[in-house]
Amino acid sequence: MAVFVFAAQMLNFPVGVGVSGHLLGGALAAVLAGPWVATLAVTVVLIVQALVFADGGLTALGTNVLLMAVVGVWVGWAVFVAVRALLPRTTAMVPVAAAVAALVSVPATAAVFTGLFAIGGEAPVDLGTMLSLMLGWHAVIGIGEAIITFLAVSAVIATRPDLVRGAAPALDRAREERLAAACTTASEGVA
Amino acid sequence: MSGPHGHSLHFHGHSPIHRLPPEVKIAAALTFVAAVVATPREAVWAFGLHLLALVVVIAVAQVPAGFLARRMVIEVPFVVLAVTMPFISTGPTRPLGPFEVSVAGLWAGWALFAKGSLGALTALALAATTEAPDVVRGLARLRLPAQIVLIMSFMIRYLDVVSTELRRMRIARESRGHAVRGIRAWPVLASTAGALFVRSYERGERVHLAMLSRGFQGRVDLGEGGSAGGRDWLAAALPLTGAAIAATAWLSGAGR
């Protein structure tokens, strides 16, 4: 699982270089593997990136883990669960909920970063300016991430829906319906 | 057939730095970076000394400067952030060339640039002199939780396998006339990511079953290299130098 998140992070956006041009991937990982595994996986990826690939920096590791593994994953998961509850319980709706989760989790992560900067930052940057700058940039990244998440989750659902953790309720329902249909056919056969 | 990222950061060598036990190097790198970050940003000379100390280590390790310089490109987004700092900060301003820039922002940008560059260079020096599996072994000896060490060692072991898988998919795409160009390539990239996930997961299942049938019980023996001896802790020279520089900078700042 961690390997996949890593490989997905390597799929850099062909679009602009921003404060963070990388796929954050937190929402995608949460939908595919569940929030607990996703937190662990993203954390490990960040440690390895910092120590082995010298990407992300050693002192920024704590911030990165908090933002990407905790905020990114859990905001993504919370939004995903909320949206999933509103939509019909079918597997076709899972990528939609995942896309919304990705869309929200990226600017949310950026907002939390701005909050951290307000607490610990050394420069007297006008927070309103910074917040709007960060949110603007990350809304664009969030849209890109939402599209990628939607398409990637759809691709996995098409082949192995049982591997998508977030699709479990929809699959349960599909199974119950099949079972009910089978029972009806069977009882009709008996009658 | 190694992927584009592979272990390209490692520079093969036999210097005393290469031979140091990994846990010593990790501890030294982390402490040195902490010392750099703790240095007051007004003490510009202190950062020069930090850089000098690091350059001495890199020279002893015999890692070519060009090798590291090419890999410093990773820092570019942070440099961009550092450069924007003077322009988006508030407070008293001063002229700089044709612009009026914020003094506090200028200092913040400088601190971000200096500390970021030294941190990245330290991490690069660590990665250049330590093989990835050794980093994991070092972290295990530094008492990182066993589960995380396990995930990490599998991740590093299968990184090349997965990146070659990704490479094969790319070659397959390109031999069918696909070129990554803008937003219209995204559906293809996303289904590549989806297929990669399914394949990696299924590979994981097969490997797990194979390991279980060979008696795997949730523990992996990472192998013993000799543990750190007294002489190895000479590596503490780097963080001690860094700490001394930071302390001197603070004291001279207080005397001002």
Side-chain angles (χ1 to χ4, degrees):
Chain A
M1 182 56 225
V3 178
F4 167 73
V5 177
F6 200 91
Q9 286 219 346
M10 299 293 177
L11 286 171
N12 252 330
F13 276 172
V15 285
V17 186
V19 174
S20 150
H22 273 279
L23 218 72
L24 292 177
L28 177 62
V31 172
L32 287 176
W36 298 103
V37 176
T39 307
L40 212 56
V42 178
T43 305
V44 170
V45 166
L46 290 171
I47 297 176
V48 172
Q49 281 191 340
L51 284 177
V52 180
F53 297 108
D55 186 358
L58 298 173
T59 41
L61 190 58
T63 320
N64 278 340
V65 168
L66 179 67
L67 289 176
M68 288 167 76
V70 178
V71 178
V73 167
W74 285 92
V75 168
W77 180 250
V79 174
F80 173 74
V81 170
V83 175
R84 192 179 60 181
L86 295 177
L87 295 172
R89 262 207 306 174
T90 60
T91 46
M93 290 296 127
V94 172
V96 178
V100 178
L103 185 64
V104 175
S105 77
V106 179
T109 310
V112 173
F113 170 77
T114 314
L116 287 182
F117 199 85
I119 299 168
E122 290 188 334
V125 176
D126 179 38
L127 282 176
T129 317
M130 177 136 174
L131 190 66
S132 56
L133 206 71
M134 290 291 284
L135 286 186
W137 246 119
H138 284 83
V140 176
I141 297 177
I143 293 170
E145 173 133 353
I147 298 173
I148 295 274
T149 304
F150 175 82
L151 295 167
V153 173
S154 308
V156 178
I157 286 204
T159 44
R160 286 285 302 269
D162 56 309
L163 294 189
V164 181
R165 183 67 184 270
L171 286 180
D172 284 348
R173 186 177 153 196
R175 197 174 303 122
E176 279 161 21
E177 278 172 1
R178 270 204 308 279
L179 205 64
C183 288
T184 321
T185 334
S187 58
E188 276 167 3
V190 170
Chain B
M1 285 270 286
S2 77
H5 278 266
H7 303 299
S8 59
L9 284 187
H10 184 256
F11 182 81
H12 186 75
H14 300 282
S15 73
I17 309 277
H18 281 82
R19 281 198 303 272
L20 277 175
E23 63 269 31
V24 174
K25 279 186 278 190
I26 296 171
L30 288 176
T31 337
F32 178 69
V33 173
V36 169
V37 171
T39 308
R41 60 191 179 180
E42 283 82 7
V44 175
W45 55 270
F47 290 99
L49 289 184
H50 281 312
L51 183 63
L52 190 67
L54 198 53
V55 166
V56 169
V57 172
I58 293 169
V60 173
Q62 291 169 342
V63 179
F67 180 87
L68 293 177
R70 275 200 304 282
R71 284 153 181 82
M72 284 295 280
V73 176
I74 215 153
E75 212 214 345
V76 167
F78 296 94
V79 175
V80 172
L81 185 64
V83 170
T84 57
M85 275 291 169
F87 296 97
I88 63 170
S89 291
T90 53
T93 60
R94 56 163 286 187
L96 183 83
F99 308 109
E100 279 285 322
V101 297
S102 152
V103 177
L106 210 54
W107 277 116
W110 150 253
L112 193 65
F113 171 71
K115 293 177 180 180
S117 307
L118 283 167
L121 196 58
T122 312
L124 279 176
L126 173 68
T129 56
T130 319
E131 294 258 31
D134 286 334
V135 173
V136 176
R137 198 173 298 142
L139 287 172
R141 291 216 193 110
L142 291 172
R143 309 276 162 85
L144 196 73
Q147 288 83 353
I148 293 194
V149 171
L150 201 61
I151 298 180
M152 207 180 273
S153 62
F154 274 110
M155 176 174 152
I156 287 172
R157 191 172 304 173
Y158 284 97
L159 193 59
D160 269 347
V161 176
V162 172
S163 48
T164 23
E165 182 100 67
L166 200 57
R167 210 173 96 121
R168 282 195 295 277
M169 289 169 152
R170 201 195 67 223
I171 292 172
R173 279 201 315 264
E174 285 172 2
S175 59
R176 286 161 180 79
H178 177 260
V180 175
R181 208 173 290 133
I183 198 163
R184 284 172 56 202
W186 285 15
V188 182
L189 291 180
S191 57
T192 305
L196 187 69
F197 171 71
V198 173
R199 288 188 193 182
S200 304
Y201 193 95
E202 288 175 345
R203 187 189 300 279
E205 282 176 335
R206 289 195 301 275
V207 169
H208 185 232
L209 281 176
M211 287 178 68
L212 286 181
S213 67
R214 285 160 180 80
F216 175 67
Q217 294 191 322
R219 269 176 41 82
V220 164
D221 189 5
L222 292 168
E224 290 296 312
S227 66
R231 267 191 63 213
D232 296 326
W233 290 104
L234 278 178
L238 177 67
L240 282 181
T241 313
I245 295 169
T248 319
W250 272 114
L251 289 177
S252 66
R256 221 171 22 215

